[in-house]
Each structure stands twice: as C-alpha cells, then as structure tokens.
Amino acid sequence: WTSGGILFWLGFPFSNILTVVPFLVIVIGIDDAFLVLAGWRQSTKGAPLAQRIAESVAISGASVTVTSVTDVLCFAIGLFANMPVVRLFCLFTSLALFIDYVYQMTFFTAVMSFIVRRQIRLDRKAIENKVAPEVIIPSIEKLKEKLSEKPVFAVMMPVFTPPVKTAPVKGRLEIFIEWLHTKTAKFLVLLIFFIHIGVSGFLASKVNTDFDMENLYLEGSPLTLISRRMQVIFFKLLALPSVL
C-alpha cells in the first residue's frame, strides 16, 4: 500500500497486472520473517530482550539484505523493457520490495519484541521451576556403587570394560565436504561462477525484447486488425514518465 500510494501520488497509472504485486510482496516478506525468527531462536537464551533482538537481527540481517537487494535489482531490470506495462509492473514491485525490506528491519522487529516477551517469561519460569537432573535420575555410577555394597548385587554386577576407540570410517559425503574446503575446490567454484556470469551476460545481451501482440493470433485472423488498433490506444494511455 505504501509503494502504491507513493507512485499513484506521483501520477503513475493503474493496470490490472498490479493486482499481483501485493501477493508477490507478501510471499517474499514471509520468507524474510522466517529468517528473522530463525535468528531469534539462535540468539542467547536468558539474555536481555534488547540483546536478543540485536543478535537476531545481526544473524538474519545479512540473509534478508542479500535476498531483498537481489529481488529489487532483478525487477529493476524490467524498467528497461519496451512495453509500458512491464515497466509499470517492475517499478511498483521494486519499490514495494524495498519498502518491505525497510519494514522488516524496523516495524516487524519492533512488533516481534512485544510478542517474544511472553516466550521470555515462559523460559524464566521453566528455569526457576527446573529441578536438577541428578535429583530425579541418579547417575549410573552412583547406582552401581550402592548396589555393589551388597554381596548379592556385587556378584550380579557385570564388569564394565571401556570400548576400544577406533578411528571413524569416513563416508563419501564427509570426504566430499573435506575436498570442498581445499584450495583446488575453491578455485574451481570461482572459475565456474565467473564462466557462468560471462556466458549468461553474453546470452542475455543477445535476447530480442521486441514483442508484437499480433504474434499471438493466427495468420489472417480478424483479431489482428483489432489488436493493431488496441496497441495504438493502449500505448498512448500507458505512456509512462521517465523513471531513470
């Protein structure tokens, strides 16, 4: 709503395709919310509320920022499209995702600080009411000592021999993980990454972005003439101001 209000106030027109933007932003926003909550679960338990909120944002902030920046940049590429509808959709979506990121880091964390207060109170009660494990369940060594004091149980108690430590056998996955930490693997990953970026950039520059709605109809269809007239009217109505 914030992005729509800003752009409508600036004079940008409305299109039916913009009805998809709220659902798209909600899905991405929910993913960021899960990341922030995951950071909260990894924060130091028993610490003050302000410290735990700071730790949760510090843990999840990098992931939320990277995903938000990449999403905004991906949709911002559509601002260079030839079709006004595509430019309009990408403009609304890019601004909405940016505002969603700002709200995630400010408004959502503030609201979360009120919600997690109940969890902090429950954790404190659990710690206060917690009974020491040795009081409830006696250790095996203490149980053996008590039983060995009586001759009947001393005969029945088996002699415990510690197991011989052997080197664990590494599986294929562990060997592969160790190989990934080598300099050779790092070099190969970087090489493949830069090759991928170069090939993708070269092929993307060869893409023809021209779109003709007449290609959607069969040759000789009566809709072709109607489509030509609609395109003239459509592009006049959706002539957008310069966004760059």
Side-chain angles (χ1 to χ4, degrees):
W1 300 112
T2 305
S3 60
I6 293 174
L7 294 176
F8 289 146
W9 178 69
L10 292 176
F12 287 89
F14 174 78
S15 178
N16 293 333
I17 197 172
L18 298 180
T19 57
V20 183
V21 175
F23 300 98
L24 183 64
V25 176
I26 287 174
V27 172
I28 297 177
I30 291 175
D31 179 67
D32 294 339
F34 280 131
L35 292 175
V36 177
L37 292 175
W40 168 263
R41 288 192 293 268
Q42 297 178 15
S43 60
T44 305
K45 293 184 178 180
L49 176 62
Q51 179 180 345
R52 294 197 64 178
I53 292 293
E55 290 179 359
S56 62
V57 174
I59 294 172
S60 61
S63 300
V64 175
T65 302
V66 170
T67 55
S68 299
V69 170
T70 52
D71 292 336
V72 170
L73 292 179
C74 287
F75 282 101
I77 295 175
L79 298 176
F80 299 94
N82 296 330
M83 296 187 65
V85 178
V86 176
R87 296 205 306 268
L88 184 67
F89 173 76
C90 293
L91 177 62
F92 271 76
T93 307
S94 299
L95 182 60
L97 291 176
F98 173 74
I99 295 176
D100 175 71
Y101 168 72
V102 175
Y103 283 165
Q104 286 285 346
M105 293 289 99
T106 56
F107 181 75
F108 178 77
T109 53
V111 174
M112 188 182 71
S113 65
F114 289 98
I115 298 175
V116 297
R117 292 176 188 269
R118 181 174 179 272
Q119 182 181 356
I120 293 177
R121 289 195 298 267
L122 294 176
D123 292 341
R124 289 177 180 175
K125 290 182 180 180
I127 294 174
E128 293 174 357
N129 299 331
K130 187 177 180 180
V131 183
E134 57 270 11
V135 177
I136 301 175
I137 304 175
S139 62
I140 298 177
E141 298 298 332
K142 292 182 179 180
L143 183 61
K144 287 182 178 180
E145 292 177 0
K146 291 182 179 180
L147 294 178
S148 61
E149 293 176 357
K150 299 181 180 181
V152 177
F153 290 102
V155 176
M156 297 174 60
M157 290 293 293
V159 179
F160 176 75
T161 56
V164 180
K165 294 183 178 180
T166 57
V169 180
K170 295 182 180 180
R172 296 181 180 179
L173 181 60
E174 294 179 351
I175 296 175
F176 177 70
I177 293 175
E178 291 182 356
W179 179 79
L180 289 178
H181 288 81
T182 60
K183 294 182 179 180
T184 304
K186 295 177 181 179
F187 174 77
L188 289 176
V189 170
L190 288 176
L191 180 63
I192 295 173
F193 174 75
F194 285 114
I195 292 175
H196 168 71
I197 294 297
V199 174
S200 300
F202 174 76
L203 295 178
S205 63
K206 300 297 181 180
V207 174
N208 185 9
T209 58
D210 294 335
F211 178 76
D212 191 356
M213 294 184 64
E214 296 182 10
N215 295 329
L216 300 177
Y217 310 112
L218 296 176
E219 185 177 358
S221 173
L223 295 175
T224 304
L225 181 60
I226 299 175
S227 175
R228 292 175 183 174
R229 295 178 180 177
M230 288 180 60
Q231 289 186 64
V232 174
I233 300 174
F234 185 74
F235 284 109
K236 286 183 179 180
L237 292 177
L238 292 181
L240 301 180
S242 177
V243 294
L244 298 177

